Amino acid sequence: MPKKSLQLTNKRKEEVIDACEKLYLTKGYQEITIKEISKEISMSRPSIYNYYETKEEIFLALLIREYQKWNADILQIITAHEKLSPDELAHALSHTLAPRMLLLKISAMNLYEIEEHSREERLKDYKVVFKESLDAFASCLKKFLPDLSNQQIEAIRYAFFPFMYGIYPYVYPTDKQKLAMDEAQVSYEQTTIEDITYNLLKQLIH
């Protein structure tokens, strides 16, 4: 594909992803359709289908973009610091996740359905960038906590990543959920993505 055509294709894909992101900030997942996305941009539904076969593939592209941003921030920790104490590392890693609300929301609320309705090659793209996250996280641990064995790093990594899927629902309960917890006398403490992530990491890596 000629360079200009590729640039235009990528630009149009980004416009679709941006529109999906904008809608997801104010609407529920089920409310968002390719028709709704097309209304946000100067692109018809048939044109969108040139790039993405389903709504789920658009969300998957948004998730991939979020992981790419997160991966870059994790790798920046490695390049920006020679040494970090365990507490400093826990703070640094939790800080990288704080802006990734969309990543956490999609992963917790919609990922299974998105994967089920995306083509295999699109799903592979997501798995590749997810693996890059696993590797970047492990590289941080290896650099700043050199006394950890490979088995310990593996254990920390596979405790942390499943934990990520529960962050969004815990940090952002709905009003209905909070009311039900009050009525059931379930204790609940308001927290943030960064704080809840730090509190786990300091336990895992100290």
Side-chain angles (χ1 to χ4, degrees):
M1 181 181 294
K3 185 176 180 180
K4 287 187 178 180
S5 296
L6 180 59
Q7 289 175 340
L8 179 60
T9 296
N10 290 337
K11 181 177 181 294
R12 299 301 271 170
K13 285 182 176 180
E14 285 297 309
E15 289 175 1
V16 174
I17 297 170
D18 289 342
C20 181
E21 176 179 346
K22 180 181 177 181
L23 289 168
Y24 196 50
L25 292 172
T26 59
K27 293 179 179 287
Y29 176 80
Q30 298 300 334
E31 298 176 85
I32 300 171
T33 63
I34 289 183
K35 180 180 180 180
E36 290 295 315
I37 292 170
S38 72
K39 290 179 181 178
E40 290 290 323
I41 50 178
S42 57
M43 193 183 304
S44 65
R45 278 183 288 173
S47 295
I48 292 176
Y49 286 121
N50 288 330
Y51 308 114
Y52 303 102
E53 284 193 356
T54 62
K55 173 185 83 171
E56 287 78 15
E57 289 191 354
I58 301 172
F59 270 93
L60 195 62
L62 173 57
L63 183 59
I64 288 171
R65 188 169 74 178
E66 285 290 297
Y67 265 103
Q68 289 170 336
K69 291 177 181 178
W70 186 42
N71 295 347
D73 288 342
I74 296 175
L75 293 174
Q76 178 63 24
I77 296 173
I78 297 172
T79 58
H81 303 280
E82 276 303 313
K83 292 183 179 180
L84 288 175
S85 68
D87 189 68
E88 290 170 334
L89 179 58
H91 271 296
L93 286 170
S94 60
H95 185 69
T96 66
L97 201 55
R100 303 274 73 86
M101 181 272 287
L102 283 172
L103 183 156
L104 297 172
K105 182 179 180 181
I106 295 171
S107 298
M109 310 296 286
N110 312 113
L111 183 56
Y112 187 85
E113 185 173 351
I114 288 168
E115 289 188 335
E116 283 297 300
H117 295 91
S118 295
R119 285 170 289 175
E120 186 175 339
E121 60 267 30
R122 303 295 193 192
L123 189 55
K124 179 184 175 183
D125 292 339
Y126 162 64
K127 298 301 182 181
V128 167
V129 76
F130 179 77
K131 183 179 183 300
E132 289 171 357
S133 295
L134 293 172
D135 292 344
F137 185 85
S139 294
C140 259
L141 298 183
K142 288 177 182 178
K143 177 172 182 178
F144 300 113
L145 305 172
D147 292 337
L148 290 178
S149 67
N150 289 336
Q151 290 79 9
Q152 287 173 315
I153 289 173
E154 189 82 350
I156 292 170
R157 192 170 61 167
Y158 283 101
F160 178 73
F161 277 79
F163 164 83
M164 283 174 49
Y165 290 90
I167 293 176
Y168 180 85
Y170 194 88
V171 174
Y172 298 103
T174 65
D175 290 339
K176 186 176 182 180
Q177 288 169 332
K178 287 188 283 188
L179 179 61
M181 285 189 287
D182 289 342
E183 292 176 348
Q185 297 183 337
V186 176
S187 61
Y188 168 75
E189 182 178 344
Q190 186 67 45
T191 187
T192 65
I193 293 171
E194 187 163 0
D195 286 345
I196 196 173
T197 303
Y198 167 72
N199 286 332
L200 175 74
L201 284 170
K202 72 178 181 180
Q203 299 298 323
L204 290 176
I205 66 180
H206 276 65

